[in-house]
Amino acid sequence: MDNELLLKMTDIQKSFNHVRAVRNGQLEIYKGEIHGLIGENGAGKSTLMKILLGVHQKDSGTILFRGKEIAYKSPEEALNNGITMIHQEINLVPQMSVMENIWLGQEYLFKRAGILNRGKMRKRTAELMNRLGIEINPDSVVSSLSIAQMQLIELVRALSRDATLIIMDEPTSSLAQKEIALLVKIVRMLSAEGVSIIFISHKLDEILNVCDSVTTMKNGEFMGRNATCDINEQTLLKLIVGRENVSGFHREGIHATDQVVLEVRDFCSAGVFEDVNFCVHAGEILGVAGLVGAGRTEIMRAVFGADKHDSGEILLEGQELKIRNPMDAIQKGICMLQEDRLRLGTVYSMSVLQNASLATLDQFCSATVVNKKKERSAFHEIMEDILLKFHSENESIKNLSGGNQQKVLLGRWLMAHPKVLILDEPTRGIDIGAKYEIYRLIEKLAERGIAIIMISSELPEVLSLSDRVMVVRNGRIAAKLNRGEVMQETVMAHAFGINKEE
Amino acid sequence: MASHTNKKLQPEAAKHLREILVNNKVFAVALLLIVIMSFLSERFLTTTNVFNILRQICITGIVASGFSLIIAAGEIDLSVGSIVAFVGIVTSYLMVTVKMPMVIAILAGLLVGMLCGMLNAVIISALDLPPFIVTLATQSLFRGVVYIWTNMVSIIGLPQEFVNIGQGYLGVIPIPVIIMVATFLIVWFATVKTSFGRHVIAMGGNKEAAYLCGVRISRVRLGIYGMVGLCCAVAAIVLTGRTASAQVSAGNGMEMDCITAVVIGGTPFTGGKVNIVGTFIGAFIVGIINNGLNLLAVDSNFQIIAKGLMILIALIIDRLSTNFLNKKRRKE
Amino acid sequence: MASHTNKKLQPEAAKHLREILVNNKVFAVALLLIVIMSFLSERFLTTTNVFNILRQICITGIVASGFSLIIAAGEIDLSVGSIVAFVGIVTSYLMVTVKMPMVIAILAGLLVGMLCGMLNAVIISALDLPPFIVTLATQSLFRGVVYIWTNMVSIIGLPQEFVNIGQGYLGVIPIPVIIMVATFLIVWFATVKTSFGRHVIAMGGNKEAAYLCGVRISRVRLGIYGMVGLCCAVAAIVLTGRTASAQVSAGNGMEMDCITAVVIGGTPFTGGKVNIVGTFIGAFIVGIINNGLNLLAVDSNFQIIAKGLMILIALIIDRLSTNFLNKKRRKE
Amino acid sequence: ASENANQTEKNQEPAATAENSAGTDAKALRIAYSMDSLTEGMVAQMEGVDEAIAAFNNSQSGYTASIDYFNAASDVEKQISDVETIIQNGYDILMFSSVDTSGSLPAMKAAYDAGLTVVDTRKMDQLDSCSISLDFCNEPLQGEFMRNWMQALLDDGKAEALHVGIVYGAAAQTYQLERGDFVKRWAEEDPEHIIVEADAYGDWDAEKSQSIMEDWIQAHPEINIVVTGNTAEALGVANALIGAQKKETTWVVSFDITNEALIRIQDGTLDCAVGFSPKDNGRSMTEMGLKVFMGEYEGEKEYKDDHVQYVDATNIEAYLAENPIEK
Ligand SMILES: Nc1ncnc2c1ncn2[C@@H]1O[C@H](COP(=O)(O)OP(=O)(O)OP(=O)(O)O)[C@@H](O)[C@H]1O
Ligand SMILES: Nc1ncnc2c1ncn2[C@@H]1O[C@H](COP(=O)(O)OP(=O)(O)OP(=O)(O)O)[C@@H](O)[C@H]1O
Ligand SMILES: [Mg+2]
Ligand SMILES: [Mg+2]
């Protein structure tokens, strides 16, 4: 690694109205360095990065980039000066194709006499994707992709710019292991080429494994900069949370009863999934594992009534159910947390409280008039469980950090007291401190007799929490494993379709 | 100790006031307009004239109150004016030609208005068509029915009690003003206090997310358009009373007046938010502008320019004051 | 082996055709209307009448071509009609009163149109105001200037070459039709082939994402509104020629006609997509409806209803066919 | 299929499509009426037109006439398009009530050049572009009548001076602006007696005119006569005046003699309406057109007639005796 200082941010401050998002931001990045940035939800990581990119303007402090003081007024300036960013939330134009999204803002590369050369654009896209080992059709429309695929497109787009500094704000939160491995490979490759990378993540092992050094933030303040070779998970955890011993999580034994709550029989949707049969018991946590695009989300969306299915039946407590839309499902006590929180979860124009109570509003109504007191107390009860810190329940959810938005959405469904709770990537973007709390919460819910289906791309999460694990591959159920037989290797083998036993 | 609390309280109160102003800055714009106008014409700030303005904004105001929900839900309704004309004709026809009792004719009118609105909703939902085109079509549909039914002849000879609804007073307050205020209160209540209002905003903010939370979009839509239809019917009754006749051209171009009031009032055209009080003030601002231009005897052609300019200036003030207040807030 | 390839290809081709139909189903609607109309009136499908229709949609068509971009970008422009009137007056004034050469007057008119459009963009961007209100204000602004300037008197006495632009023929083809087709081609080119077009769609689809990718929203907006202003100016010149006079009331209510053509044409009102060819067909469908109702000598009051109904039916056909085609596609 | 083709062939002959009420050998005569906009007055006029056609069809002229109406909805461009369709569609007579005297001219000219018998019902002063130009229901003439009626108020000493409020129609309908403009010209000629206090566009709308008048009552209490564009506007103005108890001291006058106007003159809420009996008007313009077509007309190309009249409290009974209000 060169010891050439590329970026130095000192004493950065930034407030939004009365919220002090960044109080004392410090960051040093060297050329070719992979630098981790960690901290709790709402610590100010994204804000600091957005200041660097020119999305937000700092209130005070200095930024030195390549030896010059900078204060970009818009992302355009930053992009033109070699800084790009993969944002925490997907930032694609859903109606446009993959290729058009990748080159958005850089069309001039393919201009000849004012005309866009789409052939050349497609060729460059294919080259780029090939080099990175990503297989997505450049011509497919973004809105038809899964969120993981969108995340990969964001990655491609960031790399298309030949930047000297790439900011990645939780690039792995919606990727499964295979894609993460790919991403890590790419990041290392870039670093070797002299590109510096700022890598934001809540996964400590990932930080320690990928990064050369790491900066920690807490409550908008700089907590320290360390080389990753000098620290371990425990010290890192202490830096983040401020306490020494944050217990990990481990679930003991099987708690499930043998009372079947939800049973899905012969579920089939042409071209998406087929022959799906499974059941969940009261008090059981059913983990669903698989690769990106395996169809986990699609199956569960169909169960929830958000998508149509062609054939098959759903039984709730032995009774056959007709679920035509999410309304039916929710009324019957089946709830689902969506994985795409920006597009399918949050209503940005509404407050934190309103977002949380949206699905359960009827509970707080008498003759359709909302009893705000009841609504608020139910909300606070849940939010204490989830450890969400926010300034005011009446604040727009848009102003929360990504992880805190996720907590609100999780809270939304906990407020519903469902019989069956489907969680699609429940801990996406949630900091480690809160993550264990949420595991405990899920466990508690299961103990109350709720049947829980948890889709997760984080295998450790699936392994430690689930009573049983169902592996999905290519729209089919590849395996159902009991707690005893669940091992990382077996799950992966089923997910990839390599069956060792045979 | 007490003084200490006090000291802490005062900036709090100031902050509070500022918050209110930021959220209802259109209120400040209205105040500013009032101040300017009273300097320009001493006739402006008289009780008579204030009631004058209020009475003049009643028709637009009543429809705009419900229209706020349409905009908040991210939709549009171009047929409001035609519904107003249609209900006016139906009610008057029932009273004058069929000689029904007034109350029944009014109830029938309200029902017709609501059904017209609901028809819009049903077509939009059932066929998943853009509201713009559907309501453009029903706009000419309802208007055409009015034309054919009446053969372009307005209906006159309405009973005096009915005319009173549009022209009478309760004490010093014009009855239309009371009806308008009542309508705003009801719509405000439905929007702010009920789950329906919440669902409307959710639908306008993120339709997909609302759907996945169990909000039945088509039912909410039915409610919104039905409510607007009802508002149109109420406006039609007030209007018919006010002009003492059911005009076939009533409500022409009303959708634009409504959108103007709603958007000036701070409900964004893209939906997801609603400000019913703002809509009232928006209608009031338009009323002040119209009234002021008439009071000052501005030449009719200059009025057209002046109206455009004043709307723009009102919005610019609104915007600049927001920026200013935000900056102050940040400085603290 | 060859036959094998063939077998694979055929369904491919069928799929392709279906794709084209799905993306341009409005085309099918237009065809259907044409078939129905030619059964109802043998005068419908004559060369003269087809050119008739084309000539009649020219003014709306020219403005609507650019208007597609406004809608695609998720914005709105209510001032188009006023710009048309304004440019008509400016150009005629320069020719008739100032006695400028025609070409210079036309160029001046085009410039004025573009600047009017850009003024909208500048106000919207600089003050971050809703396009609806800004263009509502400039609508009355431009129109008021026209009224005051002309004192409500149309300008007549235009040179014959100028009148020819609106009334003449090139061979059998009316000149306005040629101008319209050229406008559509240019706008289509700018939309589909240039980065500007990409940016417009990105802005309408996800403004935030476009901004974060370095798209300069205010510059794109300047381009869009300037382009529409230019289209308005072209339409104004054709219209002035066609009526052989510059009318102060020209272009009244034009924004609605444009939106109708654009939305029927398949560009969603919420933006993020654009279909320039669709807009042309949309304008054509409206033209067929108007022309057809006249040919069939439908009673003028019934025409109002019929027009509304036919727009609705056109959209319903469009929707049903989409559903049908989509289902077929899914089955595969 | 050949049968079908035959039928199409036949259909192209105008005679086959027309109703043969007057006799089997009668030729079809197709009339098109391009109207500027569809109003109550226009509907009444259409009744007169239909009557004249019925009379013509019973007159053994050798023709069977039929009429189709085209509504330009106050849009010059639409009127031109309508006339294009009319020319295309093989009509014999065009009755043309222009949206705008200059802007609608190309349409009228085109029809005339295409060989139609063109009746200009609005005196566009373009004698070489029409077969006959009728000068009996144009706006300047109506303005003159109204001016005479108002002059009488001064002459009779009912007022020292007229403080006028003008409520125009819609700005976009330039032809009808004359209904207010005559006052402005008059005020320039006679600034001592005619004072224009305020003017505004009422958009033909009762409610809007009512609001305008309410404001004027505040700001211009000296207004003693309001000139409005049509019955609806006059109604609104009168409502406002009645509400402020000022109707007794303020004249309200309007244009178009509609049934509603007559009723209002009777009950005293309208003081004068100038116009023409739209029905009579429709009848005579149709008769003129048919005469010209048949070659029976030998007078001047510009035909004057005194169809315009005023109705006020003094002559309402007489008027109603001749033109009873139909239900
Ligand atoms: N636009 C905004 N308006 C108001 N407050 C904001 C805004 N953006 C961020 N904040 C606040 O700033 C603080 C820092 O947020 P930021 O998004 O930087 O956190 P983060 O470290 O990225 O958290 P996470 O890990 O959850 O993404 C939070 O308290 C958040 O509520
Ligand atoms: N709306 C859609 N239209 C068309 N195809 C879709 C749509 N949504 C998802 N797909 C496709 O369906 C497949 C299954 O996606 P799904 O989201 O269910 O995967 P998953 O197993 O949940 O993986 P992950 O959520 O981790 O990406 C993917 O290949 C995706 O591209
Ligand atoms: Mg963040
Ligand atoms: Mg998924």
Side-chain angles (χ1 to χ4, degrees), chain A residues 7-128:
Chain A
L7 173 80
K8 187 174 170 67
M9 299 176 86
T10 33
D11 300 331
I12 306 292
Q13 289 198 22
K14 173 73 190 172
S15 309
F16 296 101
N17 299 327
H18 37 253
V19 178
R20 297 183 66 183
V22 178
R23 294 157 196 265
N24 170 24
Q26 316 274 359
L27 195 62
E28 279 177 18
I29 309 288
Y30 292 87
K31 189 164 185 290
E33 183 186 29
I34 305 174
H35 188 80
L37 184 58
I38 53 170
E40 288 177 301
N41 293 134
K45 307 180 291 293
S46 300
T47 306
L48 190 66
M49 291 302 101
K50 284 183 183 168
I51 290 169
L52 179 54
L53 196 73
V55 178
H56 295 316
Q57 265 62 56
K58 62 183 190 304
D59 295 339
S60 63
T62 50
I63 308 174
L64 284 174
F65 181 59
R66 288 199 281 207
K68 268 184 294 184
E69 183 162 353
I70 57 160
Y72 297 135
K73 288 268 177 295
S74 72
E76 189 201 355
E77 273 183 70
L79 292 168
N80 290 341
N81 285 292
I83 303 178
T84 76
M85 177 162 172
I86 300 176
H87 294 268
Q88 189 169 8
E89 302 294 348
I90 303 288
N91 262 301
L92 299 171
V93 183
Q95 296 95 333
M96 300 205 321
S97 72
V98 168
M99 166 177 99
E100 287 168 338
N101 264 291
I102 289 173
W103 300 104
L104 183 57
Q106 289 190 96
E107 290 88 354
Y108 57 85
L109 294 174
F110 309 99
K111 242 190 324 207
R112 205 186 302 132
I115 306 175
L116 282 186
N117 184 339
R118 292 177 69 87
K120 199 170 145 200
M121 194 190 256
R122 191 171 291 115
K123 212 170 130 226
R124 277 285 298 273
T125 315
E127 276 170 18
L128 196 57

Side-chain angles (χ1 to χ4, degrees), chain B residues 9 14 16 42-43 54 69 80 99-100 117 128 158 193 226 242 247 264 289 303 312:
Chain B
L9 256 177
H16 220 72
E42 75 274 15
R43 286 197 182 85
L54 284 175
L69 294 186
V80 283
K99 305 224 178 301
M100 272 191 184
D128 192 19
L158 296 162
K193 297 279 172 193
R242 179 164 152 82
Q247 302 278 327
I264 290 185
I289 293 176
Q303 283 207 11
L312 207 54

Side-chain angles (χ1 to χ4, degrees), chain A residues 54-55 73-76 79 87 91-96 100 104-105 107 111 114-116 118 157 161 270 310, chain C residues 189 192-195 198-199 201-206 208-216 271-273 330-331:
Chain A
V55 178
K73 288 268 177 295
S74 72
E76 189 201 355
L79 292 168
H87 294 268
N91 262 301
L92 299 171
V93 183
Q95 296 95 333
M96 300 205 321
E100 287 168 338
L104 183 57
E107 290 88 354
K111 242 190 324 207
I115 306 175
L116 282 186
R118 292 177 69 87
R157 177 160 77 188
R161 283 206 176 245
D310 295 333
Chain C
F189 183 86
V192 176
K193 295 281 172 194
T194 71
S195 54
R198 299 290 91 214
H199 291 173
I201 296 169
M203 175 177 159
N206 187 346
E208 184 72 18
Y211 174 72
L212 292 175
C213 285
V215 173
R216 266 188 260 176
K273 257 185 195 166
R330 248 186 61 169
K331 283 264 160 66

Side-chain angles (χ1 to χ4, degrees), chain A residues 147 296-297 339 424-425 455:
Chain A
I147 187 165
R296 297 164 297 176
T297 300
E339 81 183 309
D424 198 353
E425 312 287 358
I455 306 175

Side-chain angles (χ1 to χ4, degrees), chain D residues 200-211:
Chain D
Y201 291 108
D203 293 338
W204 309 121
D205 184 53
E207 209 275 330
K208 181 140 194 249
S209 311
Q210 195 161 334
S211 297

